[in-house]
Amino acid sequence: MLTTDSNRDLVLRFYKAFDDRTIDRALDLLAPNFVAHLAGVPQPLDAEGFKQFGLSFYTAFGQGHHGFDEIVVAGDRVVTCGRFTAIHIGDFQGLPPTGKQISLAVMHIDRVENGKIVEHWGQGDALGLMQQLGVVFLPGPKLLPRLLRSAVSRWF
């Protein structure tokens, strides 16, 4: 039976390997039956899908670093809350590199079984990330008339 300290250390090694850009070492810490649940991704990802998702970040953001303010271990689950900081150096979701420093609030829950991460839940501040990269969100067709009416009523 693994201790909560070893579960904590395993999860922190995973994020450190990602930050050190040793993706293979990070992936070695995942169980063969690994499943990831990511905010904004409609279906759970297997290890290969998670690898592809991770590689999109890995190639788009250099000098990445996970800094955790809170680490909570409860049995087989490790919760990490903090920030991911990096520099936008490559194409990301069609956006060419900006060279901008980003700081993204993140929260993860990782479940450990037999010395491997078997399940992951991940939440990141996607809106904050896009704003830092200079992407402006435009209101949809239902919201635009309401915003215009509000602006006109303030003028008069």
Side-chain angles (χ1 to χ4, degrees):
M1 184 71 150
L2 295 174
T3 66
T4 55
D5 285 343
S6 61
N7 289 347
R8 176 186 184 276
D9 293 345
L10 171 74
V11 168
L12 292 179
R13 276 197 328 267
F14 171 78
Y15 294 110
K16 175 90 168 94
F18 186 85
D19 292 348
D20 289 346
R21 302 186 72 77
T22 53
I23 214 71
D24 289 335
R25 193 170 0 157
L27 295 173
D28 285 343
L29 300 174
L30 303 180
N33 60 335
F34 173 83
V35 176
H37 312 273
L38 303 173
V41 177
Q43 298 295 321
L45 301 175
D46 61 8
E48 183 58 31
F50 186 68
K51 175 183 175 181
Q52 294 309 313
F53 181 86
L55 285 173
S56 71
F57 254 83
Y58 182 83
T59 56
F61 297 97
Q63 300 177 24
H65 174 73
H66 286 86
F68 297 119
D69 303 318
E70 291 287 330
I71 302 169
V72 179
V73 183
D76 64 351
R77 295 173 199 259
V78 179
V79 179
T80 49
C81 303
R83 301 199 80 71
F84 176 72
T85 57
I87 297 174
H88 183 211
I89 61 168
D91 185 69
F92 179 68
Q93 297 182 355
L95 182 66
T98 62
K100 292 182 178 183
Q101 173 85 33
I102 59 107
S103 180
L104 174 66
V106 294
M107 180 182 294
H108 309 283
I109 303 171
D110 292 287
R111 186 169 67 84
V112 177
E113 191 174 277
N114 299 321
K116 297 281 187 175
I117 299 171
V118 294
E119 204 163 8
H120 171 85
W121 292 265
Q123 172 77 37
D125 179 13
L127 177 60
L129 172 62
M130 292 303 182
Q131 289 172 335
Q132 290 175 64
L133 294 177
V135 176
V136 177
F137 290 94
L138 299 174
K142 290 184 178 181
L143 183 58
L144 189 57
R146 193 178 279 175
L147 291 173
L148 289 173
R149 277 193 301 272
S150 175
V152 167
S153 69
R154 275 187 260 144
W155 289 338
F156 296 107

